Amino acid sequence: MSSVDLGGSVKTRLIASIAVGAAVVLGTTGCNILAPQATTIDYSASDGINVPAESGPLSVRNVLIVANGDGTVGNFVAAVVNDTTDPQTLRIEVGEGSSAVRSSVNVPAQRTLSLGDLANDVEPLRLDGIDAAPGSTVAVYFQSGDGEGALMQVPVLDGALEYLAPLAPTATPSPSLTPIPVLPTVTPTPSPTPSS
């Protein structure tokens, strides 16, 4: 009976198998060595932006402005979270310099205020006199508590999309004038005085 040589020892084949297995493992997982994992990158997963923690103790999430066609009136939409045990005030400045529009929102302790949550009758914050055309971004400064504040570029949208239409600003009703009926003019005529 003759023996057949299969091309090497069992030890050599074992080492080659381990080397091939290691190359496959490294080749398929090596991307994580060179590229960052996408799941570890913070980002705003919706139309609005999130404001960084430096702005103060309030967390401000999904911020956007829904503006009218010429960008002079906008509704500020955001979720403002107060995780503290004290009421807090969020101060915002839309635009920069002397033309900035300033406003503030009070948030009770341990509460979330969703500005623009029309299902729960929470109106957005109306901003008159802004300069923010739909499709652009506008500089907005956020500050609460003793935080240093944060200047962010906030997206400005219009009400063209169905889900944003209810958030679009409407014209403020002007005071209506009720017409007063004109009474006929009466000219008195002298009457004779009775004689006594």
Side-chain angles (χ1 to χ4, degrees):
M1 188 158 153
S2 68
S3 76
V4 177
D5 186 12
L6 297 175
S9 71
V10 172
K11 193 182 227 183
T12 305
R13 283 184 281 168
L14 179 63
I15 292 172
S17 297
I18 291 173
V20 169
V24 168
V25 168
L26 287 175
T28 58
T29 61
C31 294
N32 286 334
I33 294 172
L34 303 175
Q37 292 177 332
T39 56
T40 61
I41 300 170
D42 288 332
Y43 68 99
S44 298
S46 63
D47 292 330
I49 60 151
N50 295 328
V51 178
E54 300 88 58
S55 67
L58 295 176
S59 296
V60 187
R61 301 178 183 150
N62 196 24
V63 179
L64 58 99
I65 295 174
V66 182
N68 63 356
D70 61 359
T72 57
V73 178
N75 282 334
F76 180 84
V77 178
V80 185
V81 181
N82 183 358
D83 288 331
T84 71
T85 56
D86 297 316
Q88 298 287 332
T89 300
L90 173 66
R91 286 172 284 289
I92 62 169
E93 290 183 19
V94 179
E96 297 180 89
S98 61
S99 64
V101 175
R102 292 167 181 80
S103 192
S104 62
V105 176
N106 296 319
V107 184
Q110 300 291 315
R111 298 286 303 272
T112 297
L113 177 62
S114 293
L115 296 168
D117 182 6
L118 301 178
N120 291 313
D121 295 326
V122 181
E123 294 290 324
L125 179 64
R126 185 178 175 96
L127 302 168
D128 291 306
I130 61 173
D131 183 16
S136 67
T137 60
V138 64
V140 179
Y141 179 75
F142 299 88
Q143 195 276 330
S144 63
D146 57 358
E148 66 184 54
L151 182 63
M152 302 291 296
Q153 291 295 320
V154 174
V156 181
L157 306 170
D158 62 11
L161 297 173
E162 184 179 334
Y163 69 97
L164 291 176
L167 298 171
T170 57
T172 53
S174 58
S176 61
L177 299 175
T178 306
I180 300 174
V182 178
L183 299 173
T185 311
V186 177
T187 307
T189 56
S191 59
T193 35
S195 55
S196 34

